[in-house]
């Protein structure tokens, strides 16, 4: 268990209130509205603690900034290569995928699955 912290609670409740998978910089700008003297370093440190503690997910994208997700229930992501938004794909294939892997003799604790391409909005814009 993590020691209680007002700053960390604010970060966590902001992340649980949105489904936009914000970057640390965006989280900092939002949390600053409630806690004006918070620093970006404090935001980074608390995001690290929260993800190590399994309270949030960190979505890493190589050289670009990580995105953070307050929804830790099983779901997948669609990353739009046009608008760079990250969308939730709410389906849970955990049992199916895990049994495929256990049949190969492995013991999976979890998995990651992410789709890349063009989102619905950007598809519409391409057609227009
Ligand atoms: Zn898009
Ligand atoms: Mn998500």
């Amino acid at each position: 268990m993590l020691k209680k912290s007002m700053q960390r609670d604010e970060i966590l409740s902001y992340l649980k209130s949105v489904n936009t998978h914000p970057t640390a910089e965006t989280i900092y700008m939002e949390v600053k509205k409630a806690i004006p003297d918070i620093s970006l370093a404090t935001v980074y440190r608390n995001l690290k603690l929260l993800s190590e503690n399994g309270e949030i997910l960190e979505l890493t994208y190589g050289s670009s900034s990580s995105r953070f997700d307050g929804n830790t229930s099983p779901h997948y992501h669609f990353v739009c290569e046009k608008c760079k938004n990250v969308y939730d794909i709410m389906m849970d294939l955990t049992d199916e995928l895990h049994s495929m892997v256990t049949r190969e003799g492995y013991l999976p604790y979890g998995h990651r699955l992410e789709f890349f391409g063009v989102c619905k909005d950007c598809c519409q814009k391409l057609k227009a």
Side-chain angles (χ1 to χ4, degrees):
M1 270 298 283
L2 288 173
K3 203 154 90 17
K4 272 202 98 47
S5 142
M6 191 257 280
Q7 294 168 325
R8 191 157 54 243
D9 285 351
E10 193 63 36
I11 292 168
L12 185 60
S13 72
Y14 168 65
L15 271 178
K16 294 215 176 282
S17 74
V18 296
N19 61 4
T20 51
H21 310 93
T23 61
E25 286 78 8
T26 304
I27 295 164
Y28 168 65
M29 295 308 287
E30 290 301 319
V31 172
K32 217 172 156 51
K33 292 174 186 169
I35 310 172
D37 62 351
I38 197 166
S39 71
L40 184 57
T42 299
V43 171
Y44 273 110
R45 193 181 62 245
N46 281 296
L47 288 169
K48 190 170 184 290
L49 280 170
L50 286 166
S51 59
E52 283 170 0
N53 208 40
E55 293 183 69
I56 63 171
L57 301 175
E58 178 175 2
L59 313 174
T60 55
Y61 298 104
S63 58
S64 48
S65 299
S66 288
R67 313 277 296 239
F68 295 89
D69 194 346
N71 180 1
T72 56
S73 64
H75 69 285
Y76 304 121
H77 293 107
F78 192 102
V79 182
C80 178
E81 298 194 342
K82 296 245 174 251
C83 66
K84 310 294 178 198
N85 285 334
V86 179
Y87 298 91
D88 286 330
I89 304 290
M90 299 309 288
M91 57 182 179
D92 181 4
L93 300 174
T94 302
D95 292 346
E96 290 90 330
L97 291 178
H98 282 213
S99 58
M100 288 165 82
V101 174
T102 50
R103 277 202 297 274
E104 299 291 322
Y106 296 94
L107 175 60
Y109 291 153
H111 65 264
R112 290 186 187 161
L113 176 58
E114 207 154 48
F115 298 91
F116 297 90
V118 183
C119 75
K120 287 192 257 183
D121 285 355
C122 291
C123 279
Q124 284 301 319
K125 282 179 203 145
L126 287 177
K127 280 186 231 154

